[in-house]
Amino acid sequence: MQEVKIVIAGPRGNMGSEAVKLVDRTGHFTLTAVIDSKQTGQTVADIEGLPSLDAPVYTDLDKCLSEVECDVLIDLTTPEYGKKHMEIAFNHGVRPVVGTTGFSNDDVEELSRVAEQKELGAIIAPNFAIGAVLMMKFASMAAKYFDDVEIIEQHHDRKLDAPSGTAVKTAKMISEVRDAKKQGHEDEREDLEGARGADYEGMRIHSVRLPGLVAHQEVLFGGEGQTLKIRHDSMNRASFMPGVQLAVETVLKIDQLVYGLENIME
Ligand code: NAP
């Protein structure tokens, strides 16, 4: 298999540290550098909890990509830096694989235009868990038969954005097969602001944030005399890594931005 040279942004994070381990154990992947928000060492080996690799640590992606070889940037940071990092990667002819969540539609459209101009592949996947992608697909199938649906997503309390990218993506996929509908009682009121959750074309999205959780989502459909619950749980960050590997291998073969792992799964 062709060797893939990889730079990872966010290597001390929960996701980034798993991605470093993935690259380390995958024979045809080579880690050429990492981007840390604070310089915590000279090499990856100096960062506590990471494999003993001699890839250098940079704080600045532009400088890094000017100095080291890189085919694919894996970004697992924050939406603010994720977008900047994608733009810098495109300027260096590097293909980004981004798991960072919280991009707006405008961000995705803008980045898609740049990828198209540069004829570079890019993948933004709000959820790398293959089971979560299947949950979204099954929810989209069910939505043809059930008009009323609420999404309850649950994450650890370090998560910055709400609702989760997966919840928004699920709502978007459902809206493609369902007409917008105001749900609940026509005269319903909120006695406590936010009690009914966020409104996406009439669908309600509820975001739970608690320590101890990783990433979980329930899509709850209701119809006359029946409910249908579709649920996915990620128990740890390792669950996302087969999806990251698939995205890295796929991004080398495409020349546009693809949003969502479901669009690269057969
Ligand atoms: P995390 O543990 O908080 O890690 C984020 C890491 O990014 C931190 O180490 C942070 O460093 C670092 N960082 C922030 N700005 C940076 C910059 N400019 N350059 C380099 N590193 C920077 O978060 P996480 O749970 O790993 O999640 C990371 C992102 O992935 C989030 O957007 C999250 O929503 C998303 N996520 C995606 C999936 C998926 O399947 N796609 C799954 C889980 C999470 P400091 O601590 O120094 O700020």
Side-chain angles (χ1 to χ4, degrees):
M1 257 186 204
Q2 184 200 342
E3 185 199 7
V4 189
K5 297 190 179 73
I6 297 173
V7 168
I8 296 176
R12 268 183 304 108
N14 290 310
M15 285 289 282
S17 55
E18 283 298 331
V20 171
K21 291 176 202 157
L22 167 76
V23 172
D24 183 34
R25 67 174 175 260
T26 307
H28 59 294
F29 287 179
T30 305
L31 189 68
T32 51
V34 295
I35 310 299
D36 196 279
S37 52
K38 308 162 190 116
Q39 184 101 13
T40 56
Q42 297 297 309
T43 68
V44 170
D46 300 323
I47 303 179
E48 202 189 327
L50 292 189
S52 181
L53 297 169
D54 59 6
V57 182
Y58 286 82
T59 49
D60 183 64
L61 180 63
D62 197 31
K63 183 170 187 303
C64 169
L65 295 182
S66 308
E67 294 180 4
V68 306
E69 288 184 54
C70 176
D71 304 307
V72 175
L73 167 75
I74 300 178
D75 187 277
L76 296 157
T77 61
T78 61
E80 187 197 351
Y81 284 102
K83 185 167 178 240
K84 279 186 199 152
H85 285 165
M86 284 187 80
E87 288 162 350
I88 295 168
F90 285 140
N91 286 338
H92 286 270
V94 167
R95 293 158 189 258
V97 164
V98 178
T100 303
T101 59
F103 286 91
S104 68
N105 287 341
D106 288 350
D107 290 339
V108 176
E109 274 171 30
E110 198 185 316
L111 291 160
S112 295
R113 278 195 295 275
V114 183
E116 203 179 320
Q117 278 162 15
K118 304 257 182 196
E119 295 183 7
L120 280 173
I123 294 172
I124 302 177
N127 200 326
F128 279 122
I130 286 171
V133 172
L134 293 174
M135 168 195 59
M136 290 189 261
K137 285 191 187 241
F138 297 154
S140 156
M141 282 167 70
K144 288 186 194 145
Y145 304 99
F146 290 89
D147 295 337
D148 291 81
V149 52
E150 306 222 353
I151 298 170
I152 305 147
E153 57 97 340
Q154 306 181 357
H155 283 84
H156 57 93
D157 63 347
R158 308 303 300 152
K159 187 169 174 61
L160 294 175
D161 52 314
S164 70
T166 302
V168 174
K169 179 75 190 169
T170 308
K172 191 162 179 274
M173 285 172 70
I174 290 174
S175 75
E176 281 160 15
V177 295
R178 160 197 189 268
D179 292 331
K181 176 183 179 187
K182 184 183 180 305
Q183 296 181 186
H185 195 286
E186 58 196 19
D187 296 327
E188 79 176 8
R189 62 170 196 278
E190 281 187 333
D191 294 334
L192 262 184
E193 194 187 330
R196 291 286 291 119
D199 186 331
Y200 188 105
E201 294 190 0
M203 270 174 263
R204 295 294 172 161
I205 305 179
H206 310 270
S207 298
V208 178
R209 297 288 175 267
L210 284 173
L213 293 170
V214 180
H216 318 261
Q217 180 170 293
E218 234 172 68
V219 188
L220 191 55
F221 293 92
E224 270 312 305
Q226 60 179 325
T227 61
L228 172 67
K229 190 189 284 181
I230 301 169
R231 182 177 173 105
H232 176 261
D233 297 276
S234 279
M235 308 303 187
N236 57 43
R237 267 80 179 180
S239 65
F240 301 111
M241 293 306 126
V244 174
Q245 179 167 348
L246 176 67
V248 169
E249 285 163 356
T250 306
V251 79
L252 297 166
K253 301 177 198 151
I254 57 176
D255 56 7
Q256 59 184 331
L257 188 151
V258 174
Y259 183 83
L261 198 67
E262 64 284 4
N263 294 313
I264 61 167
M265 278 168 64
E266 304 264 305

